[in-house]
Amino acid sequence: MCKRRLLIAFVALAALGVGAWFLVQRYAPNLALELTEQDLQTRLAAHFPIQNCGLIIVCLDVTAPQVKLTEGSDRIALAADLSATLGQRRYPGTLAFSGKIRYVAQDGDFFLDDIDIERFELAGVPIHYTEILRNRGPGVLRAVLSTRPIYTLRGDTLQQRLARFAVRDVRVVNGKLRVSMVPPRP
């Protein structure tokens, strides 16, 4: 009797699995989360300001990030205010960078990897510190930025909970960041 129940349970689970596979194949291309620049901007603001004193004598602060999405890209571009603190003096500047999106399903976090720093400018920095900042500053920022999530999928809706564990592709489509559960068709 126990073997019969076990066999029935196995057949039922297999049927459910086949049904779920069919539904995912049929409807998954339509299951995507689309985030506007403003959505990203709002969530990103919660992860800033970033401060790092990894250069020992200099602390770098990154504030006020602005998101820019580029059509068809799997990268997110950001511009931000940058400042360096040397002792009691603060030197303002700007920072522009982009990164390729990395997704960690367990936490629902999106990170930036392969960070390319396009602009790293500070005004009024003493000459003997300029070389240190230009050589080591971008590397320190890359390390910090790649370990801080820029967006987190929250499990507020069924679609977001499903997407959290089924993300397959992230790219900009029609001016929005599209988080798809299946890879794009060639």
Side-chain angles (χ1 to χ4, degrees), residues 41-121:
Q41 187 71 44
T42 301
R43 294 266 181 104
L44 185 63
H47 298 286
F48 281 80
I50 294 174
Q51 182 180 58
N52 184 281
C53 296
L55 294 176
I56 301 171
I57 58 171
V58 180
C59 288
L60 296 173
D61 295 299
V62 181
T63 59
Q66 296 296 310
V67 176
K68 177 70 174 145
L69 299 177
T70 303
E71 190 66 33
S73 178
D74 61 350
R75 297 179 73 82
I76 294 178
L78 292 143
D81 293 336
L82 175 67
S83 65
T85 305
L86 300 160
Q88 300 297 317
R89 302 259 346 236
R90 193 171 193 96
Y91 302 94
T94 58
L95 174 68
F97 61 96
S98 67
K100 188 169 179 148
I101 300 167
R102 174 175 50 95
Y103 178 67
V104 177
Q106 175 182 330
D107 303 317
D109 289 335
F110 291 90
F111 295 89
L112 291 180
D113 279 347
D114 187 26
I115 294 174
D116 182 24
I117 296 181
E118 289 112 30
R119 186 175 65 236
F120 182 90
E121 298 172 356

Side-chain angles (χ1 to χ4, degrees), residues 12-33:
L13 282 173
L16 283 172
V18 168
W21 179 82
F22 172 76
L23 289 172
V24 166
Q25 292 298 314
R26 171 81 171 107
Y27 297 106
N30 299 324
L31 294 177
L33 177 64

Side-chain angles (χ1 to χ4, degrees), residues 165-181:
F165 293 101
V167 170
R168 297 293 178 256
D169 183 60
V170 181
R171 74 179 45 255
V172 179
V173 177
N174 296 327
K176 297 178 183 175
L177 188 68
R178 184 176 176 86
V179 181
S180 302
M181 292 201 316

